Amino acid sequence: MAFDRKLMRNGKGWALCINSTILQFLDIDPTVNMVKYTIENNKLIIEKSDKKIE
C-alpha cells in the first residue's frame, strides 16, 4: 500500500497530515496513542508506539 501526500508548512518545519483511514488501519487514536517513527534505508517508517499520551 502506498500513498502520495503533500507536506504542509508548520512553523519553521514541515508536517505530514495522516488521514483517518490510515489511523484506523494502524489502530491509532490520536487522542490516546503516540506514534513512533524511524528512518531505515532512506524510508520513513511510522508505527503505533507503546507509549500513551498522558
Side-chain angles (χ1 to χ4, degrees):
M1 188 180 314
F3 299 95
D4 292 324
R5 299 291 298 185
K6 181 173 86 168
L7 296 175
M8 296 174 286
R9 197 71 165 136
N10 183 15
K12 293 186 179 188
W14 294 89
L16 176 64
C17 183
I18 302 174
N19 68 30
S20 59
T21 303
I22 295 172
L23 293 175
Q24 287 175 354
F25 180 75
L26 296 174
D27 190 30
I28 295 173
D29 177 351
T31 63
V32 177
N33 305 113
M34 296 182 75
V35 295
K36 177 171 68 172
Y37 61 93
T38 54
I39 298 173
E40 293 180 13
N41 300 320
N42 291 326
K43 293 182 182 182
L44 175 63
I45 300 168
I46 302 171
E47 57 190 331
K48 185 176 182 178
S49 174
D50 294 334
K51 296 181 182 179
K52 303 283 185 189
I53 296 172
E54 296 181 14

